[in-house]
Amino acid sequence: MASIGSVRGDHRQIGGDGEWANTHAIIGLNGRVFASHSNGKVFDIDPQSGRHTQVGSSSSWNTRLMFALGDWIALLEHSGTMWALDPSTGNHHQVGKDGEWTNITCGDWVTDSIYCFSKQGTLWDYSRQHGWRQLGNSANWKTKCMFADRGLVTIEEDHTMYRVDVGSGQATAIGRQQYDVRAGIGLQGHAYASFSDGHLWTLDFATGQWSTVGTSNGWRTRLMTTLGNDLVTLEENGTLYEIMVDSSQAHAHNPGYAQPQSYSEATEGSYAASDNSSGGITETAGDVVSEGVSTELGSDGEPREGGGRSDDTVRD
């Protein structure tokens, strides 16, 4: 596999052309890329070789969004129920109640917290330790994209950006963008986003200033995640790329700020407080996920064939 290079914006392809065309969601975790595919399977992708192996044996995942809870993959299913998946064993457990995440449409994660937007107009911080905690009192948010990591920034439907204090929920407007955001992720105090102008841009949370990453205006990114201190994008054509963004940044996806030590209990519409106030995830009987299988399958029930594919088991 070719080296990614050393200049910000350098990139290389992971796997074959269009190999992950029918992928619902991706996440980078512990040096690997994980993809939830329309065939109902979750795959572990080696970013160096492009080879993949299935995580667990379930072929019933119907994932809408992917986050992380510690070292577990959090899969928000179309049913509105969230599951935590152990990427090394395939074991999985339900997080919270059935349908508890129905209203969540976007979010980002840091360490053991997921910051997310509800279509009821509210912003939330969810963790296994404290359950749901509303950020501020406003029910007027219309958030399209969230970026978390050493801060929290939202981009609203009208392209206005806000910096949100994760402790108080206080929001400060920091400008408005001309172009529409296609996909984005937060990393070490920066937002990285692919916009409709075809460029990859980065926002410094502290200054509110945008700058381009590389010179390409050909990005057509559908999904984006972090991989160490780099990015991984899934383009509209189904091809994965790793992008070097800033070699001076630390490798860990780390919040870099102190979590609030106290907070009030919150219930967001149909959301209920976690049954387990001490954190953790609730085990379910058996090892079956009842989310249903997408009918959008390849002829072999696997991701599309392409260069660099292998069914060999690849582990760190």
Side-chain angles (χ1 to χ4, degrees), residues 56-79:
S57 58
S58 175
S59 58
S60 299
W61 296 109
N62 189 13
T63 305
R64 184 159 54 87
L65 296 170
M66 290 176 78
F67 304 108
L69 288 170
D71 291 328
W72 291 66
I73 301 168
L75 298 100
L76 197 172
E77 301 295 284
H78 277 278
S79 66

Side-chain angles (χ1 to χ4, degrees), residues 30 93 100 108 121 133 144 204 227 232 271 274 301 308:
N30 297 331
H93 311 85
E100 191 170 4
D108 197 2
R133 180 178 67 88
K144 182 174 182 178
D204 187 321
L227 183 69
V232 169
Y271 298 146
S274 172

Side-chain angles (χ1 to χ4, degrees), residues 1-5 9-15 46-50 219 227 230-231 233 239-244:
M1 181 66 69
S3 171
I4 192 174
D10 284 352
H11 54 274
R12 65 175 182 85
Q13 187 170 323
I14 299 174
D46 181 349
Q48 297 304 312
S49 68
W219 294 108
L227 183 69
D230 293 336
L231 302 178
T233 72
T239 304
L240 282 172
Y241 290 92
E242 181 181 2
I243 306 171
M244 190 272 187

Side-chain angles (χ1 to χ4, degrees), residues 63-256:
T63 305
R64 184 159 54 87
L65 296 170
M66 290 176 78
F67 304 108
L69 288 170
D71 291 328
W72 291 66
I73 301 168
L75 298 100
L76 197 172
E77 301 295 284
H78 277 278
S79 66
T81 301
M82 178 173 280
W83 297 79
L85 173 69
D86 185 338
S88 62
T89 67
N91 293 335
H92 48 272
H93 311 85
Q94 187 170 332
V95 179
K97 299 177 182 293
D98 291 347
E100 191 170 4
W101 294 74
T102 298
N103 293 320
I104 298 302
T105 61
C106 68
D108 197 2
W109 60 273
V110 288
T111 310
D112 200 39
S113 278
I114 297 171
Y115 296 102
C116 49
F117 163 74
S118 164
K119 62 186 178 183
Q120 292 179 314
T122 46
L123 300 182
W124 293 84
D125 166 12
Y126 176 85
S127 86
R128 293 177 295 182
Q129 280 66 47
H130 62 63
W132 292 100
R133 180 178 67 88
Q134 186 175 352
L135 302 181
N137 299 315
S138 175
N140 296 316
W141 291 97
K142 296 181 180 179
T143 303
K144 182 174 182 178
C145 194
M146 297 183 74
F147 309 90
D149 206 353
R150 294 189 175 180
L152 181 64
V153 167
T154 75
I155 296 181
E156 302 300 293
E157 290 180 358
D158 67 357
H159 302 179
T160 302
M161 299 184 301
Y162 290 91
R163 184 187 296 114
V164 182
D165 185 286
V166 298
S168 67
Q170 182 177 351
T172 304
I174 55 173
R176 189 173 186 272
Q177 293 308 302
Q178 177 181 357
Y179 300 105
D180 191 30
V181 63
R182 300 171 63 92
I185 195 80
L187 175 65
Q188 295 294 327
H190 292 76
Y192 291 91
S194 175
F195 281 86
S196 57
D197 67 345
H199 286 95
L200 178 64
W201 293 81
T202 178
L203 169 75
D204 187 321
F205 286 174
T207 66
Q209 298 298 309
W210 287 96
S211 61
T212 56
V213 178
T215 59
S216 174
N217 65 351
W219 294 108
R220 299 293 183 268
T221 305
R222 185 166 66 85
L223 300 170
M224 185 181 296
T225 189
T226 56
L227 183 69
N229 66 334
D230 293 336
L231 302 178
V232 169
T233 72
L234 177 61
E235 299 301 294
E236 284 186 345
N237 64 5
T239 304
L240 282 172
Y241 290 92
E242 181 181 2
I243 306 171
M244 190 272 187
V245 290
D246 192 344
S247 60
S248 67
Q249 292 180 4
H251 287 263
H253 198 299
N254 191 301

